[in-house]
Amino acid sequence: MFGGLVFMVDNKLCCGTRLDKQIGENLLLCRIHDKAYATAIERDDVLPMPNAEKPMKNYIFVTENGWQKSQDLAFWIQLCLDFNPFAKSSKKK
């Protein structure tokens, strides 16, 4: 679906990685809460996840600059884990 590697927690997409060929960077995919999204999207190292006409709700990409330090990576992963109990599971096929 995302062309990368994703990590599931409680049968829900939590986070992942993806190589963006257009910008030549590894991106960190984060699924985060609405409040965290509103703050994160203002950062220079965060991109919205596109979905046809509008960005996907609760999903962002963090550029390499935003997660190269271990404490930065830990910050993003914790945001993903904090949202996971509230996230909806995908429908089983």
Side-chain angles (χ1 to χ4, degrees):
M1 178 176 177
F2 299 106
L5 176 67
V6 298
F7 296 93
M8 307 288 284
V9 175
D10 295 329
N11 292 318
K12 298 177 261 185
L13 188 147
C14 185
C15 60
T17 61
R18 174 178 169 250
L19 174 61
D20 188 306
K21 294 177 183 175
Q22 289 182 337
I23 62 173
E25 281 191 42
N26 287 306
L27 301 176
L28 177 65
L29 169 66
C30 297
R31 187 177 186 191
I32 59 177
H33 196 276
D34 294 343
K35 291 179 184 177
Y37 181 93
T39 302
I41 205 67
E42 298 297 322
R43 295 174 51 135
D44 291 337
D45 52 9
V46 172
L47 306 169
M49 183 173 178
N51 180 25
E53 298 171 9
K54 62 181 182 174
M56 285 186 71
K57 182 179 179 182
N58 301 106
Y59 290 90
I60 59 169
F61 286 117
V62 183
T63 63
E64 288 177 358
N65 191 44
W67 59 269
Q68 282 188 335
K69 295 178 183 173
S70 59
Q71 66 266 26
D72 293 335
L73 179 59
F75 168 79
W76 292 113
I77 299 300
Q78 190 60 55
L79 281 181
C80 296
L81 291 170
D82 290 345
F83 178 63
N84 188 262
F86 305 100
K88 293 184 180 179
S89 300
S90 296
K91 294 179 183 176
K92 301 253 182 198
K93 293 183 180 181

